[in-house]
Amino acid sequence: MIAPAIADDADRVVALWQSCGLTRPWNDPHADVARALSGATSTILLAREEGHTIGSVMVGHDGHRGWLYYLAVAPDRQGQGIGRALFTAAEDWLRDAGTPKLQLMVRSDNDAALGFYHAIGLTRQDVIVLGRFLTADGST
């Protein structure tokens, strides 16, 4: 049910992210897919059913910390354990890569995501995330 994405999956993955409200105007989701699939330390894992993409998670690591992005489940399939299965698959992928810690970022107003991650055992970390766009238009 869960397997790595390939470049031909890009449009379906982006459509899923859009249906879940995960994209932002300043990020090019197609570029995010391309970067994740072309990196040696990243991938996108997909949940599929009967040829349809019903969930995704982007996973990667920097050698010490593993990061999860775009954990998404089709709105009509949420609450069925697919998100938990994707999270576990991403966690296993990081563990197999020898990554000692998993982290992710959630927008502070996303109560549903915060509730989901709390329910599967994640805890808030005592860190502050700082950032800066490296492009003039703020895109990734």
Side-chain angles (χ1 to χ4, degrees), residues 24-103:
R24 295 296 181 262
W26 53 86
N27 288 342
D28 177 353
H30 283 91
D32 289 346
V33 170
R35 273 191 296 274
L37 296 182
S38 67
T41 60
S42 60
T43 195
I44 299 172
L45 302 174
L46 299 181
R48 293 187 178 105
E49 186 176 84
E50 297 177 7
H52 298 284
T53 300
I54 58 171
S56 77
V57 62
M58 181 186 292
V59 59
H61 66 86
D62 61 16
H64 176 71
R65 286 181 179 86
W67 289 91
L68 272 57
Y69 303 92
Y70 291 112
L71 178 59
V73 174
D76 64 334
R77 300 301 306 271
Q78 293 175 4
Q80 299 176 15
I82 298 164
R84 185 179 295 261
L86 283 161
F87 182 90
T88 299
E91 192 173 40
D92 290 345
W93 188 93
L94 289 168
R95 195 174 284 116
D96 290 347
T99 309
K101 184 176 184 182
L102 178 149
Q103 294 186 172

Side-chain angles (χ1 to χ4, degrees), residues 93-128:
W93 188 93
L94 289 168
R95 195 174 284 116
D96 290 347
T99 309
K101 184 176 184 182
L102 178 149
Q103 294 186 172
L104 53 88
M105 294 179 280
V106 177
R107 289 182 181 88
S108 60
D109 64 348
N110 192 339
D111 293 331
L114 289 168
F116 168 77
Y117 290 121
H118 178 74
I120 62 173
L122 273 72
T123 59
R124 288 184 185 248
Q125 303 291 295
D126 189 21
V127 297
I128 296 172

